[in-house]
Amino acid sequence: MGEARQKAIKHQRIRDGEFPCVYCGGVVPGEEPDHMPPRILFRRKQRPNDLVFPSCSGCNRGSAAIDTIIAWLGRSYPDSLDKSEREEVKAISSSMITNYPEVASAFHIDPEPLPLSQAQMKTLRGMTTPVNVNDPYIHRCIDFFGAKFGLGMHWKLTGNCVPPEGRVYPQWFTNYHAVAGALPSDLFRVFPNPLPLVQGRLHTAGRFEHGSVRDGEYSSHLAIFGESFIVLAFVAPNGPELCFAESGALECEPGCLKAGYPYGLPRLSADELRQRFSRP
């Protein structure tokens, strides 16, 4: 049986409710196939048919916003030379402003210069002014995506859903952290060979790579989104872990995705959004 046929059968098994939802503790059937990362991250939504997880409708709908936001962030830098891809990114940006204006208005030029050497600045490929991502809406959405990623990848790695009492602790870093040497020092020792998704000639190298490791009942997961940002997720299936909580990482539990956008933060008023969009 061919690879494509095998995956099609798995998708149907998911739709038939044979697997639990991996995002809300395995307590309800997962009847909708969920692509990790989302198809919208890729040109013409073409990606290998891998990392597809069973999701209930509540988790799938609740995480639709972060899927779009992650795709927007992952495709916005560096600029594509392909006209059709630029048009796709433009359409995503328009959707962001309409549907998720708190996040779309979060980016503005920081008046303070980047504390980088000229050599470091060159590695940013023309990005001569810093984009401010120190915003609670950006942080919350990427954190919740990290939680979703960790919940799915833990199931992929261990065959078990993170139970309701389990916790996920996401962290993330931008290309600025990479250039400034501010990534965790042992990151690529723990994840030495991140892998792209591959299906025949179709692959995600340069756009998305991932890695997972297991330490007893715990698991850790890495996602690299091209030259834009990195997401880490640490999974503690037996309950809260003090060491992670003390690190400042957001503590997320199974089922958190059902909250939907903006994931526990308040929606902003029209006047508040107008002020944010009017910043330099």
Side-chain angles (χ1 to χ4, degrees):
M1 184 183 299
E3 180 182 6
R5 177 60 177 163
Q6 290 177 351
K7 294 184 183 300
I9 291 176
K10 182 179 179 181
H11 285 199
Q12 188 57 55
R13 293 179 64 196
I14 291 175
R15 295 187 182 95
D16 290 341
E18 292 189 27
F19 302 100
C21 173
V22 303
Y23 300 128
C24 59
V27 296
V28 298
E31 298 175 337
E32 299 183 8
D34 182 75
H35 294 79
M36 174 66 68
R39 292 185 298 165
I40 196 174
L41 176 66
F42 305 97
R43 183 173 179 264
R44 297 178 180 174
K45 296 184 179 180
Q46 293 181 343
R47 50 151 279 178
N49 206 5
D50 196 4
L51 295 188
V52 179
F53 300 134
S55 173
C56 68
S57 61
C59 290
N60 205 3
R61 303 295 183 272
S63 62
I66 51 177
D67 286 349
T68 301
I69 292 164
I70 287 295
W72 182 58
L73 294 172
R75 297 183 66 173
S76 294
Y77 178 82
D79 290 334
S80 174
L81 299 178
D82 182 86
K83 182 179 178 180
S84 64
E85 181 159 12
R86 291 199 303 270
E87 288 298 318
E88 289 182 7
V89 174
K90 183 178 178 180
I92 296 173
S93 298
S94 178
S95 173
M96 287 288 304
I97 294 171
T98 301
N99 298 309
Y100 316 118
E102 290 82 4
V103 173
S105 63
F107 290 90
H108 64 280
I109 301 302
D110 195 323
E112 297 296 324
L114 280 170
L116 299 175
S117 68
Q118 290 185 351
Q120 289 173 324
M121 288 293 293
K122 289 180 179 179
T123 66
L124 285 175
R125 296 180 59 174
M127 182 177 157
T128 57
T129 51
V131 176
N132 188 348
V133 295
N134 189 24
D135 182 273
Y137 290 91
I138 290 287
H139 280 259
R140 183 59 60 91
C141 289
I142 300 182
D143 279 340
F144 267 63
F145 179 84
K148 178 180 182 179
F149 177 69
L151 291 167
M153 295 305 295
H154 183 83
W155 180 76
K156 170 78 171 179
L157 180 66
T158 68
N160 299 313
C161 294
V162 179
E165 65 271 19
R167 295 294 184 269
V168 182
Y169 298 89
Q171 292 183 318
W172 57 278
F173 307 90
T174 67
N175 53 10
Y176 168 77
H177 295 101
V179 173
L183 296 179
S185 59
D186 60 348
L187 179 63
F188 292 107
R189 178 187 62 79
V190 177
F191 302 99
N193 298 300
L195 299 173
L197 306 182
V198 179
Q199 183 178 356
R201 295 183 178 181
L202 187 63
H203 64 81
T204 64
R207 178 57 59 85
F208 173 79
E209 286 90 28
H210 68 95
S212 294
V213 295
R214 185 174 182 176
D215 183 6
E217 295 180 338
Y218 301 92
S219 65
S220 302
H221 311 278
L222 167 75
I224 302 175
F225 292 84
E227 299 179 30
S228 297
F229 61 100
I230 290 173
V231 172
L232 293 171
F234 305 96
V235 180
N238 294 326
E241 286 289 331
L242 183 61
C243 63
F244 292 126
E246 290 179 340
S247 73
L250 183 68
E251 183 178 275
C252 300
E253 60 187 39
C256 64
L257 300 175
K258 292 181 179 179
Y261 180 84
Y263 306 102
L265 297 179
R267 297 301 301 254
L268 298 180
S269 68
D271 286 342
E272 290 171 320
L273 289 170
R274 191 176 301 111
Q275 292 177 5
R276 283 165 66 89
F277 276 116
S278 65
R279 294 178 297 184

